[in-house]
Amino acid sequence: VAVIGPGMMGRGIAACLAAGGPNEVWLYGRRPEAAAEGAEKARELMQFLADNGVAAPADNRGRVVSSTSLEEAVSGAAFVFESIAEDLAAKQALFTQLESIADSSAVLCTNTSSLSVSAIASGCSGAAAERVVAAHFIGPAHLVPLVELCPSERAAAATAAAVAAGSDESQGPVERVRRFLEAAGKKPVILKKEIDGFIAARLQAALYRECLHLVESGVADCEAVDGAVFNGFGRRLNQIGPFLQADFAGVDLVQRTHAAFFPQLGSYQRDVRADALVPEGRLGVKALRGHYDWTEAKVKEVAGRRDAELLRRLQVDHARDREREPRRTSAD
């Protein structure tokens, strides 16, 4: 397995893939110090997962190796996960390189969160474009199990043509990477067609847009809106999604409430609040000023609380998955 890009996301991806199974993960970075630091941080994350009981057994874990040679990193890799800057030209140039040096059967995955996977795949001039898939991890990647999978247009067309000709769909690139990720302990979902932002980012944006509407309309302040989310329905979201919740509430009740609320929901085309904050340098925790004013201690406290809850949920999922595994007998 190869991971391209030793930044925060890349090292998190490398850590969870190596911790989740016997995978040798090569983490590529152009600069020696960045590659080495990324691999070391990934190994620390692996140890964190192991110490908290959410890694594969010690004899079934892989390792993370750093490299400053792209060719070395991807040589022999069945799966390549790109996690470089969110720049279309840079990603296209990388996939042009991957086309010539990666194995001809390797699935080429992009971790883009906002760019078109088909546009990225256009960096490949040949059949490699038929193996380009979006594999969008959610940060922090070592703690959040979701990975959104979406084929490029050429990958989807090639798989459909192969199935029509009698081939097994399970050999298509999306199904191959899905099985690999599930074996590593991730929870992939597959999009039927490409759309900007995939699923999770669009849902977050839709919720944020209505939060913006409530604040800008003077209904409530940021603290009240955030509190309504994490002290209210947000607590059930890690167990039950919107359609499941609609079934529990009653589709007829939801129909009536939505008929009343939908016409009143905000319809902003831009984040007018961010448009006002950014010129003032209020960029969020990295500037210690954003929607809120921050201190280093407060950032650490909130991030720690978030990560502790993500870990707790991951431990519950891991234990449940272990219970579902077929039990071995002495005859196995």
Side-chain angles (χ1 to χ4, degrees):
V1 181
V3 177
I4 312 303
M8 293 295 290
M9 284 300 293
R11 65 187 61 166
I13 293 170
C16 63
L17 296 183
N23 305 308
E24 183 171 81
V25 181
W26 286 76
L27 182 59
Y28 166 79
R30 287 180 298 176
R31 294 182 294 109
E33 60 273 22
E37 180 187 3
E40 181 58 32
K41 293 296 184 182
R43 287 189 283 267
E44 291 176 7
L45 294 176
M46 285 182 65
Q47 190 60 52
F48 172 83
L49 294 174
D51 290 345
N52 285 281
V54 288
D59 61 355
N60 195 43
R61 282 181 222 141
R63 64 178 186 143
V64 177
V65 183
S66 67
S67 178
T68 56
S69 166
L70 184 61
E71 186 169 3
E72 178 184 46
V74 304
S75 177
F79 301 94
V80 178
F81 294 89
E82 166 272 311
S83 185
I84 65 172
E86 195 74 342
D87 178 270
L88 179 59
K91 289 181 186 287
Q92 288 173 329
L94 173 62
F95 276 78
T96 298
Q97 288 181 275
L98 293 176
E99 181 176 27
S100 62
I101 61 176
D103 285 8
S104 61
S105 62
V107 181
L108 307 178
C109 304
T110 173
N111 185 48
T112 183
S113 58
S114 61
L115 300 174
S116 162
V117 60
S118 294
I120 294 170
S122 69
C124 302
S125 58
E130 298 175 358
R131 293 179 279 110
V132 176
V133 171
H136 180 224
F137 290 73
I138 310 295
H142 67 295
L143 291 178
V144 179
L146 176 67
V147 184
E148 297 174 305
L149 301 179
C150 180
S152 64
E153 291 178 356
R154 286 190 59 182
T159 300
V163 170
S167 296
D168 186 351
E169 185 177 9
S170 67
Q171 299 309 307
V174 172
E175 283 298 317
R176 286 177 57 201
V177 73
R178 178 191 64 79
R179 291 196 302 273
F180 169 73
L181 291 170
E182 286 183 343
K186 307 305 282 184
K187 305 290 185 184
V189 297
I190 299 174
L191 278 71
K192 294 182 178 181
K193 65 179 182 178
E194 188 174 350
I195 188 171
D196 291 347
F198 307 114
I199 298 172
R202 293 180 72 92
L203 293 178
Q204 289 181 96
L207 175 59
Y208 181 92
R209 184 171 65 180
E210 184 57 24
C211 293
L212 174 67
H213 176 61
L214 293 172
V215 172
E216 291 297 309
S217 299
V219 173
D221 58 22
C222 292
E223 291 88 347
V225 172
D226 281 343
V229 175
F230 60 70
N231 289 321
F233 67 90
R235 296 204 174 195
R236 68 182 180 226
L237 281 178
N238 70 0
Q239 283 297 304
I240 189 166
F243 292 118
L244 286 170
Q245 174 57 29
D247 275 355
F248 274 88
V251 177
D252 53 337
L253 173 61
V254 172
Q255 178 192 38
R256 291 195 296 273
T257 57
H258 286 177
F261 292 157
F262 273 19
Q264 304 176 38
L265 295 178
S267 57
Y268 288 89
Q269 298 302 303
R270 286 192 58 84
D271 184 347
V272 294
R273 190 170 175 82
D275 286 346
L277 293 173
V278 170
E280 297 177 1
R282 301 187 68 92
L283 307 180
V285 295
K286 61 186 176 184
L288 296 182
R289 301 189 308 154
H291 294 285
Y292 298 92
D293 290 322
W294 295 90
T295 64
E296 295 286 359
K298 186 63 175 177
V299 172
K300 185 175 181 180
E301 184 267 323
V302 173
R305 188 172 70 232
R306 176 202 65 192
D307 290 354
E309 176 59 19
L310 290 173
L311 175 61
R312 184 196 69 79
R313 183 64 251 171
L314 196 61
Q315 290 171 325
V316 171
D317 288 346
H318 188 77
R320 184 169 56 194
D321 290 345
R322 290 285 297 275
E323 289 177 357
R324 290 173 177 171
E325 292 177 356
R327 295 188 181 277
R328 293 185 178 273
T329 68
S330 58
D332 288 339

